[in-house]
Amino acid sequence: MQQLIFATSNKGKIKEIRAVLADMDYQVLSMEDAGIHVEIDENGADFEENARIKAWAVHNVSHTLVLADDSGLEIDHLNREPGVHSSRYMGEDTSYEIKNAKILERLAGVPMEQRTARFVCAIAAVFADGRCVTVRETMEGYIGYEARGENGFGYDPIFYLEPGGLSNGELSLEEKNRLSHRGKALKAMKKELL
Ligand code: ITT
């Protein structure tokens, strides 16, 4: 079986990635599995550039097929914050309980039609021969009025596909992968890997 390295240290992402790529003829290794520890400076201007920075940083060490995901949440009422800074928003070590509560507080009193938001996911692949491909997908939805659900990770409990519907934190792994930015980007990337 061929191997690919997915350049992420986010355990929530790797769980979703493994589920979508399960039917492919690839063993998916995290950076930890591959024994690769590189400092990556995610200083790109957008999601695509950051995904490429991560994939190249690992490919330059492994010289094998490497994929990387750069993703985040854009909230229209907050000028698309936290955006590319989603994991750094309020500090990397701040819990998502606190980050999500802060976002709900910043949106207090904002009516539903102005609470639009989207998750964005760019995935870059660098092949063994140095060829590079990037795909990008989004999941459009709303920031709700409360955090709900224990599934998923990060901002999932406050993100709702439809007003009054389930939060991403209430979706099963399969359901989230069917609808999400990452699930859709992975499906697009699968075509590039075939
Ligand atoms: P790696 O760089 O190691 O992959 P990271 O968590 O730092 O891990 P990013 O720089 O791409 O990854 O930041 C993505 C952040 O956006 C992530 O930490 C979450 O806060 C948020 N995010 C992205 N996708 C999400 C999802 O499906 N559900 C909830 N939050 C998500």
Side-chain angles (χ1 to χ4, degrees):
M1 195 186 257
Q2 311 173 73
Q3 291 188 332
L4 68 79
I5 301 174
F6 217 109
T8 179
S9 10
N10 181 316
K11 298 211 160 38
K13 283 186 187 179
I14 200 88
K15 205 169 153 188
E16 295 177 5
I17 290 161
R18 285 213 160 98
V20 179
L21 300 183
D23 61 355
M24 293 206 86
D25 193 26
Y26 279 102
Q27 183 187 8
V28 179
L29 305 179
S30 65
M31 282 201 291
E32 201 182 347
D33 298 333
I36 293 177
H37 305 279
V38 281
E39 276 295 312
I40 303 175
D41 194 8
E42 293 179 32
N43 57 5
D46 54 31
F47 295 104
E48 285 92 333
E49 199 179 340
N50 276 335
R52 284 192 288 269
I53 288 171
K54 292 187 220 186
W56 275 108
V58 174
H59 172 85
N60 285 338
V61 177
S62 71
H63 308 289
T64 59
L65 172 59
V66 178
L67 270 63
D69 162 309
D70 196 67
S71 44
L73 177 64
E74 294 182 345
I75 302 171
D76 293 324
H77 192 75
L78 302 181
N79 297 315
R80 300 199 169 179
E81 269 187 60
V84 284
H85 302 115
S86 289
S87 68
R88 286 163 276 176
Y89 178 64
M90 294 180 76
E92 297 243 19
D93 296 330
T94 305
S95 75
Y96 278 91
E97 214 176 321
I98 293 174
K99 294 189 196 202
N100 286 334
K102 183 68 186 177
I103 288 174
L104 293 179
E105 190 187 311
R106 290 181 71 188
L107 293 184
V110 176
M112 192 49 101
E113 65 272 16
Q114 289 173 34
R115 301 174 79 92
T116 50
R118 74 202 51 77
F119 275 120
V120 181
C121 176
I123 297 181
V126 179
F127 292 85
D129 62 3
R131 190 168 58 91
C132 181
V133 180
T134 312
V135 297
R136 181 190 206 266
E137 290 288 345
T138 58
M139 179 185 200
E140 298 284 340
Y142 297 83
I143 302 303
Y145 291 101
E146 58 175 350
R148 282 200 341 224
E150 306 292 327
N151 300 337
F153 66 98
Y155 300 102
D156 280 333
I158 58 168
F159 185 90
Y160 295 70
L161 191 58
E162 284 162 16
L166 295 180
S167 79
N168 271 15
E170 295 175 301
L171 299 180
S172 67
L173 181 71
E174 295 70 32
E175 194 68 347
K176 183 178 167 195
N177 271 337
R178 195 172 65 77
L179 302 165
S180 79
H181 52 314
R182 181 167 303 99
K184 291 190 279 187
L186 284 166
K187 269 165 230 152
M189 186 50 86
K190 275 167 103 166
K191 293 192 187 135
E192 303 290 339
L193 295 178
L194 285 175

